Amino acid sequence: MIIQKSTNPRISTFDPSDFSFGNTFIDHMIICEYENGKWGDLQLIPYGPIGFTPAMMGVNYGQACFEGMKAYKDNDGQVFLFRPEKNFERINKSAKRLAIPEISEEMFLGGLKALVDIDREWIPQGEGMSLYIRPLLFATEEALKARISEKYMFAIVATPAKSYYTAPVSVKISDHYSRAASGGVGAAKAAGNYAASFYPTQLAIEEGYDQIIWTDDCSHEYFEESGTMNVFVRINDTIYTPKTSDKILDGITRDSFLKLAERRGIEVVVGNVKVTDVIEAQRNGTLKEVWGVGTAVVTSIFEALGYQGEHLELPRLSDEESFAAQLKNDLVNIQTNNAEDPFGWRVLVEENVYSV
C-alpha cells in the first residue's frame, strides 16, 4: 500500500458536537485504479477532488456501485468494524452484476483498516455516533461508447455520523412505482437504483409522507423494501420480512436483525409479505409494528401507512414493548462493544499499524 499522509490535516477543526453528516469528510481516502486488465497499487492519500471528464463512462453508462458500513469507538477508545466481510462479499456481487472487475479481500479489508486506523480521531464517541464508510467502484474510462469500460477506480471515503431519523415516520405503500424489476439490478447496490427512487419518493413527500414502501413490479401485491432499507412487519408477536431475491438487497443489518430475533426466541417468517394482509392486520388490531433497517439509520420505526388514499395509524409502543427497539438495542450494543458478541461480528482495528 502506498501511504501519503495529509500535510494539512483538518482534524483540529472537527467539532464532534457540531457537524453535518454526509458533508464532513475525514482527512484521507483510499483509491486504486484498474487498467490493462489488472488492479494497481492501493493508495491512501489526502481526501480531495480527482480529475475526471464528463465523458467518464461511469457517468454516462452507470457502471457504479457502492457499500455502506460503519466504524465504532467504544468507551475505551478502541475502534471496531462491523461484519466487514459481508460488505466485501456484497460489493463483489454488485460488481459482477454490473460487469465491473472484482476486487480482492486484501484491497477491501486492508484499505478499510488503514483508513480507519490513520483517521481514527475522526470517529466521534458516544451514543449513536460512528464513522460512516463508503467503499465504491466506478468506471473511469473516457469514452462515449456503450460497452464495458476498460478502466475503473476503487475508492473508500468516510464521514462522521450521528443519530438521525429518530422520530417515527409515515410511509406510503407504492401501488405504481417499483424499486426494481425481476432480472434487474435490485440485488446489487447499484448507484442507479438510488437515482430511480428519488422521483417517486419526492411525490410521496408532496403527499405528506416521509418515505415509500416499495412493492413488486408485477402486481404491487407484496412488500419488497422501504426507501433505502429492508422492511420488517410485526403481526401479533411474529416478525415477517420479505425474502431476498434479484429484486431485494441482502441487507447486512437485516441479516443481523434476523439472527438477533432468533437469539431472543422471537418467531420470524421470511417470505412473501402481502400488502392486503398488512392492511387487514392494521384494521383488526393485530399489526403491532412496521419498521425499516439499514446501515445508516439502523432502525426507522413507522407511525403510519398510506395506502390508496387511506392514512392508517400504527400503535405507539414503548421501547420495552417494541421488538424493533429491542433488536436495535441488541445490535448497537454489539457494534459499540457494550455487550458480548456471540456471533463474532466485531472486528478490532488495531492502532498505529499504518502510521508512517
Side-chain angles (χ1 to χ4, degrees):
M1 184 186 302
I2 298 169
I3 297 180
Q4 178 192 342
K5 294 188 75 173
S6 174
T7 58
N8 187 29
R10 293 168 286 103
I11 183 61
S12 62
T13 67
F14 174 57
D15 182 353
S17 65
D18 183 20
F19 66 90
S20 175
F21 168 70
N23 300 106
T24 303
F25 293 95
I26 64 176
D27 279 318
H28 298 90
M29 62 185 181
I30 295 287
I31 63 168
C32 185
E33 296 186 80
Y34 178 97
E35 58 181 316
N36 299 321
K38 62 180 182 179
W39 288 103
D41 292 326
L42 203 66
Q43 302 177 60
L44 186 149
I45 63 174
Y47 176 82
I50 301 174
F52 297 111
T53 80
M56 184 175 76
M57 291 181 72
V59 172
N60 288 276
Y61 303 109
Q63 269 187 292
C65 62
F66 61 85
E67 277 299 312
M69 54 194 305
K70 286 182 176 180
Y72 304 86
K73 186 175 286 182
D74 71 8
N75 294 329
D76 297 322
Q78 295 184 106
V79 173
F80 297 90
L81 297 170
F82 180 73
R83 306 189 74 181
E85 75 287 348
K86 300 295 288 184
N87 295 96
F88 166 68
E89 293 170 4
R90 194 170 63 182
I91 199 170
N92 274 339
K93 180 179 178 180
S94 298
K96 184 175 182 179
R97 180 62 182 84
L98 296 171
I100 297 173
E102 296 179 34
I103 59 175
S104 69
E105 188 172 12
E106 182 181 8
M107 287 171 60
F108 188 84
L109 296 181
L112 279 172
K113 290 179 179 179
L115 184 64
V116 170
D117 179 20
I118 286 177
D119 276 345
R120 63 176 57 229
E121 290 182 66
W122 282 91
I123 306 174
Q125 198 168 15
E127 185 177 354
M129 309 293 263
S130 62
L131 182 72
Y132 182 84
I133 308 168
R134 171 59 56 86
L136 61 159
L137 285 163
F138 54 96
T140 58
E141 184 181 354
E142 184 182 11
L144 298 181
K145 300 177 180 179
R147 58 161 171 78
I148 296 173
S149 176
E150 295 178 357
K151 295 182 180 180
Y152 299 87
M153 179 170 284
F154 168 58
I156 309 176
V157 297
T159 175
K162 50 192 171 184
S163 292
Y164 67 107
Y165 291 159
T166 53
V169 298
S170 296
V171 293
K172 179 184 177 181
I173 300 173
S174 177
D175 57 5
H176 177 69
Y177 293 102
S178 295
R179 175 185 172 273
S182 296
V185 294
K189 280 188 76 73
N193 288 346
Y194 296 80
S197 74
F198 293 156
Y199 176 67
T201 303
Q202 179 185 2
L203 295 180
I205 291 171
E206 290 172 359
E207 291 183 36
Y209 294 96
D210 301 290
Q211 214 17 293
I212 286 178
I213 291 181
W214 304 104
T215 53
D216 67 287
D217 62 301
C218 295
S219 64
H220 299 287
E221 291 181 3
Y222 301 100
F223 279 21
E224 291 196 335
E225 292 192 13
S226 176
T228 58
M229 302 174 289
N230 293 112
V231 64
F232 286 77
V233 173
R234 174 186 169 189
I235 297 176
N236 288 320
D237 287 334
T238 300
I239 293 175
Y240 299 83
T241 193
K243 61 183 178 182
T244 57
S245 66
D246 60 357
K247 297 187 290 180
I248 298 175
L249 191 71
D250 189 4
I252 295 163
T253 307
R254 170 190 178 275
D255 181 71
S256 302
F257 261 60
L258 293 176
K259 288 179 169 59
L260 289 166
E262 181 182 3
R263 187 166 184 258
R264 275 185 171 267
I266 299 171
E267 183 180 3
V268 177
V269 176
V270 178
N272 292 331
V273 179
K274 199 167 186 179
V275 174
T276 53
D277 289 345
V278 176
I279 300 303
E280 177 59 27
Q282 189 276 340
R283 289 174 174 152
N284 65 30
T286 58
L287 180 62
K288 304 301 182 183
E289 298 179 86
V290 185
W291 70 94
V293 301
T295 298
V297 66
V298 184
T299 305
S300 180
I301 295 175
F302 304 154
E303 64 180 1
L305 305 175
Y307 184 61
Q308 295 185 345
E310 287 190 83
H311 186 79
L312 307 170
E313 297 288 336
L314 296 177
R316 296 291 187 94
L317 304 181
S318 68
D319 286 353
E320 291 73 24
E321 296 171 317
S322 166
F323 285 179
Q326 293 170 26
L327 295 172
K328 176 184 179 180
N329 188 61
D330 290 349
L331 180 62
V332 170
N333 280 336
I334 290 175
Q335 291 171 330
T336 56
N337 199 26
N338 284 321
E340 65 171 318
D341 178 13
F343 306 99
W345 287 341
R346 279 194 306 264
V347 175
L348 176 68
V349 178
E350 296 183 17
E351 193 167 0
N352 296 325
V353 172
Y354 298 93
S355 298
V356 292

